[in-house]
Amino acid sequence: MIDLEAARSRVLADCAPAAPQRVPLVGALGLVLAEEVDAPEAVPPFASSAMDGFAVRAADVAGAGADHPVVLRVVGTLPAGAAPVVAVGPGEAIRIMTGAPLPPGADAVAIVELTRPSGGDDAAVEILARAEPGEHIRPAGEDLAAGQRVFGAGTVLGPGHLGVLASIGRPDVAVHPSPVVGVLSTGDELVGDGSPLGPGQIRDSNRLTLLSLLRRDGFGAVDLGIARDDEDDIRRRMTEGAERCDALLTSGGVSMGDFDYVKAVLDRLGAMNWMQVAIRPAKPFAFGVVAGTPVFGLPGNPVSSMVSYELLARPGLRRLAGHPADALVRPSVRAVAEAALGRPGDERVTYTRVVAAARPDGRIGVRSAGGQGSNLLWPMALANALAVLPPGPGVPAGGEVEVLVLD
Ligand code: AMP
Ligand code: MG
């Protein structure tokens, strides 16, 4: 048996990031940036008003107060999008809207709430409070200076990042494309089409679960169906899948049974690494590269396939997608066990399915989501986290425990 980190290292060594491609911003959400981006221009590009009000000379209104207003002549109006045509001279003001460029001569904005029309028309305004130089003005380059580094390679592009790229006029970006991943179930017992179950048959749940995990994580997902426990069928589907996809997930057929052919096929097609990983669930795991395509041979038990995906396949797929080395595995958080979390007395690290929720004291509390058998998918579905229990006695009620929060 090897520990999880060693198994993960073998996987990651064969999952090189996909070559960068240039994509329009609208197609870049969730992808990993493959270039350094600098701002070609300042954002905002000009000094503008942060409020609706009047562009003034601060010196003119230094003595203004509610009971001794300063009266200024209004010499123009500037909506957002307009270019200033006149300057603000001594004793003058320009009516200005949020986002409009600051006119020459003005160095402050008096907000409209602290003004009132003078003498009943718009030609003059009473300023009811002093304004400091620079007040309610957004300087040019306040967000980004021209030439500054905006984002580095390895940044995951979220909605805000894409907005920033739009704000500097970028039409496209170089990103690592997200891998397209095929999912193949294996097993003579599996029924995938909803027809009545015959003797010894069960329904294929892994395929939909794994396809859905891939979609949740932003990868492309391709359904490769069910292979029979037959070397030729597995080989044919695996080879076709490897041609169509950037990576493959199979489930089943990697344990010690007489009909576990995934290992044998992987061995024949690629540099197979079969592993017994010192974790519970998901001990058996096979990994190989078929025609340049990484193949993750996940165990067949439904909980095992999900946990194996989380701990071994997902980090490899994230590496294909260009995520940096420190962002491949989920960060763990410390939580409090609301009730004792037991574990078997072996040397494998146990990943207990738990429900995590905020406690009144602000910490995260976890409790078991139910039965912990690797075949029991329902408690796994109810769980939102895995509690990591190293070999030993488990965690008593009120004890601290490391938790991987699944989302
Ligand atoms: P295996 O790893 O092929 O020995 O399968 C281990 C257990 O998982 C067996 O009880 C299988 O019937 C079950 N199993 C395998 N594949 C699936 C699947 N796609 N959906 C649900 N259960 C499965
Ligand atoms: Mg099987």
Side-chain angles (χ1 to χ4, degrees), residues 66-166:
D67 43 12
H68 40 93
V70 168
V71 178
L72 299 175
R73 207 152 55 79
V74 178
V75 296
T77 296
L78 274 175
V85 280
V86 289
V88 176
E92 294 177 348
I94 286 180
R95 186 174 286 107
I96 193 166
M97 311 303 146
T98 304
L102 192 71
D107 61 358
V109 170
I111 62 172
V112 71
E113 292 87 340
L114 296 177
T115 67
R116 67 177 169 240
S118 179
D121 67 28
D122 287 345
V125 62
E126 291 182 13
I127 308 292
L128 305 174
R130 54 184 285 125
E132 304 304 321
E135 202 170 332
H136 304 307
I137 292 171
R138 304 163 175 163
E142 187 182 26
D143 198 7
L144 297 171
Q148 87 164 69
R149 171 64 35 89
V150 180
F151 302 127
T155 303
V156 179
L157 297 174
H161 298 87
L162 296 175
V164 168
L165 292 169

Side-chain angles (χ1 to χ4, degrees), residues 185-187 189-190 202-207 229 251-255 260 298-302:
S185 289
T186 72
E189 72 279 34
L190 300 179
I202 60 165
R203 302 196 189 280
D204 174 8
S205 59
N206 290 352
R207 201 155 35 104
D229 285 322
S251 71
V254 293
S255 333
D260 288 333
L298 310 180
N301 271 308

